[in-house]
Amino acid sequence: VSAPLPARKDRWLLALLALAGGNPVRRHALQDALWPGGAAADPGFYLRRSLVNVRKALGDEAGRIETSERDMVRLD
C-alpha cells in the first residue's frame, strides 16, 4: 500500500479481498460484512467509496482491484 488507509472499513475491505485469495467476491457479501444489518442507508455507495479509497492507497497497483463483473470484486 503506497498511501495509508485511514478508514477502518477501507482496511477491512482490502483484508477481505486479500483473504479471498484472488477469487472474486460478491459485492453483496462485502456490503453485508462491512455494513451489516442495514447499518448504512446505501451500502452500495459506501462500498464504491471504499473501493475508490483502496485504489488510491494502492497507487500504481490500483489495477489489481478488478470489478469487471457487475456484481463481483477481485484482488489480483
Side-chain angles (χ1 to χ4, degrees), residues 52-66:
V52 167
N53 293 342
V54 170
R55 284 185 174 117
K56 284 181 185 177
L58 291 175
D60 293 339
E61 299 294 322
R64 299 188 80 180
I65 301 284
E66 298 178 358

Side-chain angles (χ1 to χ4, degrees), residues 24 39 45 51-52 72 75:
F45 167 80
L51 284 168
V52 167
M72 304 294 271
L75 177 63

Side-chain angles (χ1 to χ4, degrees), residues 19-31:
L19 288 170
N23 294 309
V25 181
R26 293 201 176 279
R27 286 178 179 262
H28 187 68
L30 293 170
Q31 291 169 10

Side-chain angles (χ1 to χ4, degrees), residues 3-28:
L5 286 167
R8 182 178 57 202
K9 300 276 180 154
D10 298 342
R11 293 190 303 266
W12 288 355
L13 172 60
L14 183 57
L16 288 170
L17 292 173
L19 288 170
N23 294 309
V25 181
R26 293 201 176 279
R27 286 178 179 262
H28 187 68

